[in-house]
Amino acid sequence: MAKLKDKVVIITGGVSGIGAASAELFAEEGAKLVLVDMNEELGNSFVEELKGKGHEAIFMAADVTDHDRVKEVFETTRSTYGKLDILFNNAGIGEVKPSEELDYAEWRKTVEIDLDAVFYWSQFAIKEFLKSGGGVIVNTASMYGWVGSPGSAAYNAAKGGVINLTRSLGLEYAERHIRVNALCPGFIETPILGDTNREFLTNATPMKRLGTPEEMAKAALFLASDDSSFMTGNSLIVDGGYTAQ
Ligand code: NAP
């Protein structure tokens, strides 16, 4: 039995890295997708690829910090599929800079995308779920929400915020059939890593390799599906052992 049969899922950051791998896996498990991302060309071609494999998907270009556009995404989800079952808040940006050089606008941009938007999108989904009787939210945080690292103060603060936001929303809606959990990846081979030294990341990871987007997609599927039906307000760390050190 497909784990997400006929489930309607919004995935932000859904056409690259972890989001794209999750879109593929969720579609294979029967989900109907609304993929949100910045790159329109990439988004449209990815959706055509999914449709070519017999899956149901639409793409909506959006900056997750654009409040008007969020409203449009939820309206289009409703008009296209008639409902929403799962929100996967996955879009994010990294930031690597010594803290003494990070100006306030850079701090705000990271926190706005990596934390503020997670709340705002969740609020829209929760309103839908309260009307429909329930739903699931999965937030991509990071192992860097659990431990610190030098030179990524805004990112680490935002991801730590996502983990406690996840706890708080999970508790707030636990009795109302809305589950909220976070995925906390370690170093995963995706475009967000940019030109970061792969040898350094590999050596820092106890399993001595980077994770793959497909491995994250499997963890996201666990959190999005009924396989995690007794789990809320919690985080799943998938990091090759990094935070066990
Ligand atoms: P990715 O391939 O760069 O995917 C992130 C996606 O989010 C990109 O498509 C990006 O679009 C999109 N995005 C960025 N800002 C956006 C905005 N304002 N509005 C809409 N979309 C936006 O990297 P990824 O590794 O899959 O990242 C997915 C999530 O995993 C992120 O939240 C990231 O923080 C988290 N994570 C990743 C790692 C890792 O090592 N890869 C580790 C821990 C956590 P553009 O490419 O056009 O900017």
Side-chain angles (χ1 to χ4, degrees):
M1 175 72 174
K3 289 178 192 269
L4 297 178
K5 190 166 168 35
D6 295 330
K7 297 287 185 192
V8 176
V9 187
I10 296 175
I11 305 179
T12 68
V15 308
S16 177
I18 294 168
S22 300
E24 293 239 33
L25 182 60
F26 286 17
E28 282 161 19
E29 291 291 339
K32 300 173 181 183
L33 303 173
V34 178
L35 302 182
V36 175
D37 217 309
M38 305 274 270
N39 187 326
E40 189 149 19
E41 205 182 318
L42 188 64
N44 287 330
S45 70
F46 185 49
V47 156
E48 285 315 307
E49 197 185 310
L50 289 170
K51 284 182 178 166
K53 293 178 183 167
H55 302 313
E56 279 188 67
I58 59 169
F59 173 71
M60 291 191 73
D63 180 331
V64 288
T65 65
D66 179 343
H67 289 200
D68 294 334
R69 194 66 177 138
V70 185
K71 200 162 169 254
E72 286 168 10
V73 169
F74 281 82
E75 281 167 3
T76 303
T77 302
R78 211 178 303 121
S79 62
T80 307
Y81 297 122
K83 62 168 186 164
L84 173 70
D85 298 295
I86 297 160
L87 169 65
F88 186 12
N89 279 312
N90 170 74
I93 56 166
E95 144 266 329
V96 183
K97 205 171 194 185
S99 291
E100 74 273 18
E101 291 171 18
L102 189 71
D103 66 40
Y104 184 66
E106 292 170 315
W107 165 276
R108 275 305 315 148
K109 184 180 177 199
T110 302
V111 174
E112 212 182 339
I113 294 171
D114 289 351
L115 176 59
D116 297 359
V118 174
F119 174 73
Y120 194 68
W121 284 70
S122 296
Q123 195 178 45
F124 266 83
I126 286 165
K127 285 178 185 169
E128 290 282 332
F129 295 158
L130 288 174
K131 279 186 252 160
S132 66
V136 176
I137 297 173
V138 179
N139 299 322
T140 306
S142 169
M143 66 179 181
Y144 280 151
W146 285 91
V147 295
S149 67
S152 292
Y155 181 82
N156 297 350
K159 294 299 188 178
V162 171
I163 290 168
N164 215 22
L165 172 64
T166 299
R167 290 190 192 103
S168 301
L169 293 180
L171 289 173
E172 191 168 350
Y173 297 99
E175 290 183 47
R176 284 178 278 179
H177 310 291
I178 301 171
R179 297 192 304 108
V180 188
N181 290 295
L183 170 66
C184 299
F187 299 127
I188 312 304
E189 186 55 75
T190 72
I192 208 173
L193 293 183
D195 57 6
T196 311
N197 185 321
R198 302 301 197 265
E199 201 183 334
F200 172 79
L201 301 182
T202 301
N203 287 334
T205 303
M207 290 178 80
K208 300 300 172 213
R209 68 173 178 86
L210 271 59
T212 66
E214 291 72 24
E215 287 173 310
M216 295 308 105
K218 286 180 196 167
L221 174 63
F222 170 72
L223 295 175
S225 70
D226 282 346
D227 281 354
S228 60
S229 54
F230 195 48
M231 182 171 172
T232 199
N234 225 318
S235 295
L236 183 59
I237 305 176
V238 190
D239 66 354
Y242 188 97
T243 51
Q245 297 175 104

